[in-house]
Amino acid sequence: MTGGAGFIGSHLIDRLLAAGHDVVCVDNLVTGTMRNIDHLQGNPRFAFLRHDITAPLDVEVDEIYNLGCPASPIHYQRDPVQTMKTAVLGALNMLDLAKRLGVPILQASTSEVYGDPLVHPQPETYWGNVNPIGLRSCYDEGKRCAETLFFDYHRQHGVEIRIARIFNTYGPRLHHADGRVVSNFIVQALRGDPVTICGDGSQTRSFCFVSDMVDGLVRLMCAGDGVTGPVNFGNPREFTMRELAHVILRKTGSRSPIVYLPLPEDDPRQRRPDIARARSALGWNPSIELEDGAGETVGYFRRHLGLVGT
């Protein structure tokens, strides 16, 4: 599991260990944190390996989940060249490992491959509307290139691949300062600071709770070689940023004001997955509503950061 000390990766490790698997967590801890996996130390079926996947990796495993890459704008724009290297060279190194071992490999791709979409909701057949030279391009185009590599290794070398396009995901273990909208709003509200919305708040996102996302990834890995993907994973219920802010204010009990800031460059105006393929091929459908998932996520931030509402 590359990126196993990250947000989604650590939850996925918990799920795999609970199912009886042995797991090797590979992470360079640039954006991941040991806090996410501290509870696994001493588990005889868990091992941690500090490693940067831009360098080749030699381990013996029977399946590979490749989640290793910064995923929030603050993190991936901090060192865009390294982000691109992680997305592309990391994919190459993990594909080479899968090829040598003859094992299936799952790529954690992203809804960012759709860019600022001109088709709504976004099906997997949509090729996207991506700026190749913008501030977000290191991540967007890095993930698009990784998908290309996965399919080329599949066609040319017979590597058994799975590609998951992950839409906005939230839940416990989100990094409090990664710039993602759910964690931003929660931390601001708990601190009594203004809740900052970029743009006029009409842009939309769809929010999937992490346990639903993990279930989708496991189902995809277990689906067999007939389901290569790409497969969208996300909650198709759509919220404006204003609606999300009000949900968070209710869940925190905060009286923080809402303020509006300029919209960042290339920020998508709308984002909602078409999950028909996940439903039909995998029997997957998210079950956690935003009101419930937001409450659990707020509780996590209260406990782990010692934040109290105003």
Side-chain angles (χ1 to χ4, degrees), residues 120 204-206 235-240 243 270-272:
H120 194 73
T204 67
R205 295 292 185 273
S206 303
N235 193 315
R237 188 178 174 193
E238 193 172 5
F239 292 85
T240 67
E243 290 171 332
Q270 53 186 7
R271 189 67 63 71
R272 176 161 66 94

Side-chain angles (χ1 to χ4, degrees), residues 235-270:
N235 193 315
R237 188 178 174 193
E238 193 172 5
F239 292 85
T240 67
M241 295 300 95
R242 284 195 300 270
E243 290 171 332
L244 174 65
H246 285 292
V247 168
I248 299 304
L249 288 172
R250 286 198 304 274
K251 291 298 178 181
T252 57
S254 174
R255 297 182 181 178
S256 292
I258 294 175
V259 299
Y260 295 88
L261 302 176
L263 196 65
E265 179 182 329
D266 296 329
D267 191 65
R269 291 163 294 176
Q270 53 186 7

Side-chain angles (χ1 to χ4, degrees), residues 57-178:
L57 177 66
D58 187 15
V59 292
E60 298 295 323
V61 295
D62 54 14
E63 60 186 32
I64 300 168
Y65 288 84
N66 185 36
L67 278 68
C69 189
S72 72
I74 284 179
H75 288 156
Y76 66 65
Q77 290 174 9
R78 183 177 299 151
D79 189 344
V81 173
Q82 185 63 28
T83 296
M84 182 67 83
K85 286 181 178 180
T86 302
V88 178
L89 296 180
L92 276 169
N93 287 326
M94 293 306 104
L95 284 163
D96 282 336
L97 179 62
K99 176 186 172 186
R100 179 179 72 80
L101 298 175
V103 301
I105 179 170
L106 183 147
Q107 166 70 0
S109 191
T110 172
S111 61
E112 297 296 335
V113 301
Y114 299 120
D116 189 3
L118 304 177
V119 173
H120 194 73
Q122 294 81 58
E124 292 89 348
T125 52
Y126 177 51
W127 290 355
N129 177 42
V130 177
N131 176 4
I133 59 171
L135 293 175
R136 303 169 69 101
S137 306
C138 58
Y139 183 69
D140 301 0
E141 296 288 32
K143 289 290 191 175
R144 285 163 68 93
C145 182
E147 288 197 13
T148 301
L149 288 167
F150 265 68
F151 271 95
D152 285 341
Y153 267 70
H154 176 65
R155 289 183 288 251
Q156 185 172 339
H157 300 300
V159 174
E160 189 176 337
I161 65 167
R162 320 273 194 272
I163 294 179
R165 289 180 178 166
I166 297 174
F167 282 67
N168 289 64
T169 306
Y170 71 101
R173 300 182 197 161
L174 268 177
H175 194 287
H176 71 282
D178 68 1

Side-chain angles (χ1 to χ4, degrees), residues 211-225:
S211 61
D212 282 333
M213 184 59 63
V214 163
D215 181 59
L217 297 178
V218 171
R219 285 173 184 251
L220 179 58
M221 179 61 91
C222 295
D225 199 23

Side-chain angles (χ1 to χ4, degrees), residues 1-13 25-27 29 31-37 48 67 69 172-175 180 210:
M1 173 90 58
T2 70
F7 163 49
I8 296 177
S10 63
H11 284 280
L12 183 52
I13 288 175
C25 170
V26 177
D27 205 300
L29 300 180
T31 58
T33 172
M34 292 300 294
R35 185 177 66 184
N36 288 340
I37 54 174
F48 174 73
L67 278 68
C69 189
R173 300 182 197 161
L174 268 177
H175 194 287
R180 296 190 226 200
V210 65

